[in-house]
Amino acid sequence: MQQISLNDVSTYVENNIGTFHQKRIASLDGLSLTKVLKRKNPYLFKAKYVLTAEEIIRGLVDAHISSNEETIFGDWLEGLAIFINGKVYGGWKSGIEGIDLEFDNNGQRFMVNIKSGPNWGNASQIKKMKSDFKTAAKTLRTSNSGLQVVAINGCCYGKSPNPDKGDYFKYCGQRFWEFISGNAELYTEIIEPLGHKAKEKNDEFQQSYAQRINMFTKTFTCEYCKDNGAIDWKKLVEFNSSAS
């Protein structure tokens, strides 16, 4: 086991955080009004007494951003976790389906499935993860029958009061970062490096966001508003839900 310094973490963040910001802007720039209108519930907007095109557009775009950023940043944090573990325990990005990280410690092989937070999946998704763990364990034991394999569901934030889930262990927040690094304080120490150039990058994002809101609002007004400016709910619902 090797110690990792906060300078190592800061350097990694500085060299890689740009990827997160680039992907969030690219996702926004690639957003299509047609697609978001088709996958959102038009009845909900009516029930909430939404009256303006901009309100609808902001609701659509903000929902996309919220969902998409969680996924993008979750993937980025996975890379950070693998980097840190590689420095400390010599861990590596797994090539086995459903496994993100593998490393050896105290005579055990840990296979880790990394998620953003604790409430990441429904019953069928958790069942799939368990199946992936079993398949991965068989794969690993094929080449080393005596290998002691331990399955871990690691979550970058949150809490899991009962880590032992029977088939696997679930470590969240502080437990997860300590597990992969040996440092009980890492979960708070990484906060500052993550803010590297955050304001500068967010200013770029806000420009892209404003342009998308303006463009979508203009298109929506032309397509789904009546001559008097009122939203044409019939036309909007037909676009979203008509069988033809």
Side-chain angles (χ1 to χ4, degrees), residues 27-45:
S27 174
L28 187 58
D29 288 346
L31 193 60
S32 161
L33 177 59
T34 299
K35 288 182 179 179
V36 292
L37 281 176
K38 283 186 175 180
R39 65 175 181 243
K40 293 300 179 181
N41 185 350
Y43 304 107
L44 177 61
F45 288 114

Side-chain angles (χ1 to χ4, degrees), residues 1 84-91 103-105 178-182:
M1 175 180 172
I84 290 171
N85 184 263
K87 286 285 188 180
V88 177
Y89 292 112
F103 71 99
D104 296 323
N105 188 27
E178 181 178 7
F179 165 68
I180 64 168
S181 71

Side-chain angles (χ1 to χ4, degrees), residues 149-167:
V149 181
V150 181
I152 307 292
N153 174 207
C155 303
C156 297
Y157 69 86
K159 298 180 179 181
S160 180
N162 301 302
D164 190 345
K165 303 301 181 183
D167 298 327

Side-chain angles (χ1 to χ4, degrees), residues 166-187:
D167 298 327
Y168 65 97
F169 292 90
K170 184 174 184 177
Y171 297 146
C172 299
Q174 181 181 16
R175 278 196 177 106
F176 170 67
W177 292 103
E178 181 178 7
F179 165 68
I180 64 168
S181 71
N183 179 357
E185 304 304 321
L186 184 66
Y187 80 112

Side-chain angles (χ1 to χ4, degrees), residues 10-235:
S10 296
T11 299
Y12 178 90
V13 171
E14 289 175 13
N15 291 337
N16 292 277
I17 194 65
T19 302
F20 162 68
H21 292 294
Q22 289 165 6
K23 285 185 176 181
R24 67 196 285 252
I25 291 175
S27 174
L28 187 58
D29 288 346
L31 193 60
S32 161
L33 177 59
T34 299
K35 288 182 179 179
V36 292
L37 281 176
K38 283 186 175 180
R39 65 175 181 243
K40 293 300 179 181
N41 185 350
Y43 304 107
L44 177 61
F45 288 114
K46 182 64 172 177
K48 291 171 66 176
Y49 197 59
V50 174
L51 297 177
T52 68
E54 184 177 350
E55 282 184 275
I56 288 181
I57 294 305
R58 284 190 182 275
L60 293 170
V61 174
D62 290 351
H64 168 82
I65 290 172
S66 177
S67 173
N68 196 61
E69 284 188 343
E70 185 76 17
T71 300
I72 294 174
F73 196 61
D75 292 342
W76 192 91
L77 279 178
E78 175 189 316
L80 175 62
I82 293 172
F83 167 78
I84 290 171
N85 184 263
K87 286 285 188 180
V88 177
Y89 292 112
W92 60 93
K93 171 70 176 176
S94 178
I96 302 175
E97 181 180 356
I99 308 301
D100 299 309
L101 167 67
E102 291 182 60
F103 71 99
D104 296 323
N105 188 27
N106 294 327
Q108 297 176 309
R109 169 68 55 83
F110 293 97
M111 49 183 187
V112 188
N113 177 291
I114 302 174
K115 302 294 183 184
S116 290
N119 304 313
W120 58 267
N122 56 33
S124 62
Q125 290 171 316
I126 293 172
K127 183 178 179 180
K128 174 65 166 55
M129 180 185 69
K130 290 181 181 180
S131 176
D132 287 342
F133 280 149
K134 289 180 181 179
T135 301
K138 290 179 181 178
T139 300
L140 292 171
R141 292 187 182 117
T142 298
S143 58
N144 185 352
S145 59
L147 187 66
Q148 186 177 356
V149 181
V150 181
I152 307 292
N153 174 207
C155 303
C156 297
Y157 69 86
K159 298 180 179 181
S160 180
N162 301 302
D164 190 345
K165 303 301 181 183
D167 298 327
Y168 65 97
F169 292 90
K170 184 174 184 177
Y171 297 146
C172 299
Q174 181 181 16
R175 278 196 177 106
F176 170 67
W177 292 103
E178 181 178 7
F179 165 68
I180 64 168
S181 71
N183 179 357
E185 304 304 321
L186 184 66
Y187 80 112
T188 57
E189 292 174 350
I190 62 175
I191 282 292
E192 286 304 318
L194 288 176
H196 177 70
K197 292 188 176 179
K199 183 182 185 303
E200 171 189 327
K201 296 298 182 181
N202 198 57
D203 286 345
E204 294 177 27
F205 179 81
Q206 288 301 324
Q207 289 181 11
S208 181
Y209 174 82
Q211 291 169 1
R212 193 64 38 178
I213 294 295
N214 290 338
M215 184 173 66
F216 282 0
T217 301
K218 179 181 179 181
T219 302
F220 185 93
T221 301
C222 292
E223 295 290 331
Y224 303 105
C225 287
K226 300 176 182 178
D227 292 340
N228 65 359
I231 294 171
D232 190 335
W233 291 103
K234 182 175 182 294
K235 187 175 181 180

